[in-house]
């Protein structure tokens, strides 16, 4: 299927009531969770981040950037939580969409243990790279490209496992289908630059990948 058609089908689905309901529950729940954490532990978190910024060469960031950096960290943690929860709880919704569009029943049942492990692994990589190269965020253009790449890492592999595992048994076929997942992941990842729209990113990729593997 052409990329433009896949994106259009995914956009139509993401605007449906059942998808919106799922996204709002996961998204608003994640936002509320981290608002609570940062509300109660703001000073402690701010001190940790200020200590980290002390290793960076930019004086302005050390003196005035701690609060801004803390908000960025909070935002990234919200996105990470949304990604994990979407991966773990979207299965029933994906089955409904597959049945609705293609009359296809799920042929498999992805392991929840594997799903958890994949999420732990990719998010550990994501957070490690984010913290290690945090300073890149403040480099125009390069920083934005870097974050876009990181966000695509965060959602690509869980999506291939969770969605592909429902409908494809053959690992070689899934491997071939997964080649396009990186390209598909870029568009939803860009949602993360827009607050509130970011809560749709992980599920939008799952829906795009579902159309990609079932439409052929």
């Amino acid at each position: 299927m052409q990329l433009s058609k896949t994106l259009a089908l995914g956009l139509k689905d993401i605007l449906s009531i059942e998808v919106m309901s799922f996204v709002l529950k996961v998204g608003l729940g994640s936002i509320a969770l981290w608002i609570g954490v940062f509300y109660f532990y703001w000073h402690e978190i701010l001190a940790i981040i200020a200590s980290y910024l002390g290793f960076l060469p930019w004086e302005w960031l050390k003196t005035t950037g701690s609060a801004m950096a803390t908000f960025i960290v909070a935002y990234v943690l919200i996105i990470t939580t949304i990604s994990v929860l979407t991966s773990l709880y979207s299965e029933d919704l994906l089955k409904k969409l597959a049945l609705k569009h293609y009359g296809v029943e799920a042929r498999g049942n992805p392991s929840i243990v594997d799903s958890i492990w994949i999420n732990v692994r990719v998010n550990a990589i994501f957070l490690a790279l984010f913290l290690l190269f945090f300073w890149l965020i403040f480099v125009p253009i390069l920083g934005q490209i870097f974050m876009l790449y990181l966000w695509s890492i965060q959602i690509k592999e869980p999506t291939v496992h969770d969605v592909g595992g429902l409908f494809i048994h053959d690992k070689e076929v899934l491997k071939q289908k997964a080649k396009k997942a990186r390209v598909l992941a870029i568009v939803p990842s860009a949602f993360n630059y827009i607050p509130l729209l970011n809560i749709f990113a992980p599920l939008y990729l799952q829906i795009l990948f579902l159309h990609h593997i079932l439409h052929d």
Side-chain angles (χ1 to χ4, degrees):
M1 188 195 303
Q2 291 183 344
L3 179 60
S4 59
K5 189 171 183 180
T6 303
L7 294 174
L9 287 171
L11 183 60
K12 185 177 180 180
D13 283 331
I14 210 74
L15 295 175
S16 67
I17 297 298
E18 56 187 354
V19 172
M20 291 279 285
S21 176
F22 176 89
V23 167
L24 288 174
K25 288 176 185 176
V26 170
L28 296 180
S30 301
I31 292 170
L33 169 66
W34 286 108
I35 285 177
V37 170
F38 275 76
Y39 177 79
F40 287 108
Y41 298 100
W42 173 260
H43 294 294
E44 291 83 355
I45 296 171
L46 190 64
I48 292 171
I49 292 175
S51 176
Y52 170 76
L53 294 178
F55 293 100
L56 299 181
W58 297 305
E59 194 62 34
W60 68 269
L61 191 56
K62 298 177 187 179
T63 56
T64 63
S66 296
M68 179 176 64
T70 303
F71 279 113
I72 292 173
V73 169
Y75 188 70
V76 166
L77 289 173
I78 289 171
I79 290 171
T80 299
T81 305
I82 292 170
S83 176
V84 172
L85 292 178
T86 299
S87 173
L88 296 179
Y89 294 107
S90 62
E91 182 176 315
D92 289 342
L93 179 57
L94 294 171
K95 289 178 179 178
K96 289 179 182 178
L97 291 174
L99 196 60
K100 173 184 174 182
H101 289 293
Y102 303 102
V104 174
E105 297 272 1
R107 305 185 185 102
N109 188 25
S111 167
I112 186 67
V113 175
D114 288 346
S115 186
I116 292 172
W117 166 242
I118 289 171
N119 274 283
V120 169
R121 179 163 53 80
V122 298
N123 280 291
I125 293 171
F126 168 83
L127 291 173
L129 290 173
F130 172 72
L131 292 173
L132 187 61
F133 296 101
F134 180 77
W135 56 273
L136 267 178
I137 294 174
F138 302 98
V139 179
I141 301 177
L142 181 61
Q144 286 67 58
I145 294 173
F146 174 70
M147 283 307 303
L148 195 63
Y149 173 70
L150 281 190
W151 280 323
S152 72
I153 289 176
Q154 189 179 47
I155 58 178
K156 172 187 171 286
E157 194 172 343
T159 294
V160 171
H161 173 269
D162 298 335
V163 182
L166 285 173
F167 304 103
I168 299 176
H169 284 303
D170 191 319
K171 291 184 178 180
E172 286 302 315
V173 173
L174 182 57
K175 187 176 180 180
Q176 289 299 315
K177 293 288 186 180
K179 289 181 178 179
K180 197 173 181 179
R182 176 72 69 195
V183 176
L184 292 174
I186 294 298
V187 175
S189 295
F191 285 10
N192 289 325
Y193 283 113
I194 306 173
L196 294 184
L197 190 59
N198 64 330
I199 66 178
F200 291 90
L203 187 59
Y204 186 42
L205 177 59
Q206 288 189 336
I207 293 172
L208 291 179
F209 194 62
L210 182 144
H211 285 298
H212 171 58
I213 64 177
L214 293 183
H215 191 270
D216 294 339

